[in-house]
Amino acid sequence: MIRLGAGRLNRIAAVGAHCDDIAIGAGGTLLTMCLAHPGLRVDALVLSGGGSEREQEEQAALTAFCPGADLRLTVLKLPDGRLPAHWDEAKAAVEELRGQTEPDLVLAPRTEDAHQDHRGLAKLMTTAFRDHLVLGYEIVKWDGDLGRPSAYQPLSPEAAEEKVRLLQEHYPSQRHRPWYDREAFLGLARIRGIECHARYAEAFTVTKLTLNLGD
């Protein structure tokens, strides 16, 4: 297993189509990075949920998932499940985010995600952030769209447990969903951990990666 790092992290960008997407897909990775890099700037963009209880949940959750970070969160009001019909608004939001930050790393949905909102946002990210490392996170769902990831972030047992705890604590609006439970989150993390010789992990896809092996 080859282990590559991104060097010193000063800024990252994280995007989600819905409130809780970022935390579900990359919450453990956010915890790991923010604890390792105090003062890390996190520019986060969520396309839907603005002005509702979901925005309040997201602000509290990402604050907890990014301890010690300079978190800058924007939550828009695009309707859930309708991103293709609001393509121009979504594209403008992503381009505005791009104009505000020069991140060392970008966390975004996978381009292979079966949900149209996730998939559409993922496609926008690879055009706006052309020269950046973009990691596509996964969200387990009834579609059965989990694939073969190409990158892994091992999680300590403490980080994996903290991720589950924070998800349960900060998103009460989602607790009624049959898939939103400890077994689902830890189960997937355990499987991805097996795949990278760790106890737990979060997994990502990488659409394009430029190497610098001469330095």
Side-chain angles (χ1 to χ4, degrees):
M1 176 68 67
I2 299 175
R3 296 181 180 269
L4 298 176
R8 170 66 191 178
L9 292 175
N10 296 304
R11 288 190 177 194
I12 69 168
V15 300
H18 317 101
C19 296
D20 78 18
D21 284 355
I22 297 171
I24 291 174
T29 297
L30 281 175
L31 280 168
T32 300
M33 289 190 298
C34 290
L35 290 173
H37 303 279
L40 177 68
R41 174 168 162 175
V42 179
D43 290 281
L45 170 67
V46 179
L47 296 183
S48 63
S52 71
E53 67 171 355
R54 298 280 277 141
E55 180 177 3
Q56 298 173 19
E57 289 180 344
E58 188 76 341
Q59 181 68 58
L62 290 188
T63 298
F65 274 105
C66 301
D70 177 11
L71 173 65
R72 307 185 185 193
L73 171 64
T74 300
V75 182
L76 303 182
K77 298 181 179 180
L78 273 63
D80 186 357
R82 298 290 185 270
L83 187 148
H86 296 267
W87 187 260
D88 290 345
E89 297 165 76
K91 183 176 177 63
V94 169
E95 290 177 346
E96 182 176 353
L97 173 66
R98 176 65 186 93
Q100 294 172 347
T101 185
E102 186 65 51
D104 303 303
L105 173 68
V106 179
L107 299 171
R110 299 180 303 128
T111 55
E112 304 86 358
D113 196 296
H115 193 296
Q116 68 270 21
D117 290 356
H118 301 173
R119 187 171 62 251
L121 177 56
K123 292 179 179 179
L124 285 171
M125 296 305 294
T126 56
T127 59
F129 292 85
R130 293 177 179 270
D131 299 316
H132 301 78
L133 176 59
V134 179
L135 298 181
Y137 57 73
E138 57 185 355
I139 297 178
V140 64
K141 62 181 79 66
W142 73 272
D143 304 82
D145 62 353
L146 296 180
R148 297 187 64 182
S150 51
Y152 297 84
Q153 171 59 52
L155 302 178
S156 68
E158 294 77 15
E161 291 284 355
E162 181 69 356
K163 173 184 176 177
V164 173
R165 187 188 71 80
L166 293 177
L167 286 172
Q168 294 291 345
E169 176 182 348
H170 289 291
Y171 296 104
S173 67
Q174 304 304 298
R175 292 174 189 159
H176 69 283
R177 299 185 182 277
W179 54 267
Y180 197 91
D181 60 30
R182 171 186 171 84
E183 288 181 307
F185 299 133
L186 273 187
L188 180 58
R190 180 69 185 107
I191 290 171
R192 295 317 190 195
I194 291 171
E195 294 173 350
C196 68
H197 296 167
R199 181 65 185 174
Y200 297 107
E202 286 177 338
F204 305 88
T205 59
V206 179
T207 303
K208 186 180 291 187
L209 176 66
T210 300
L211 300 174
N212 182 8
L213 302 178
D215 292 340

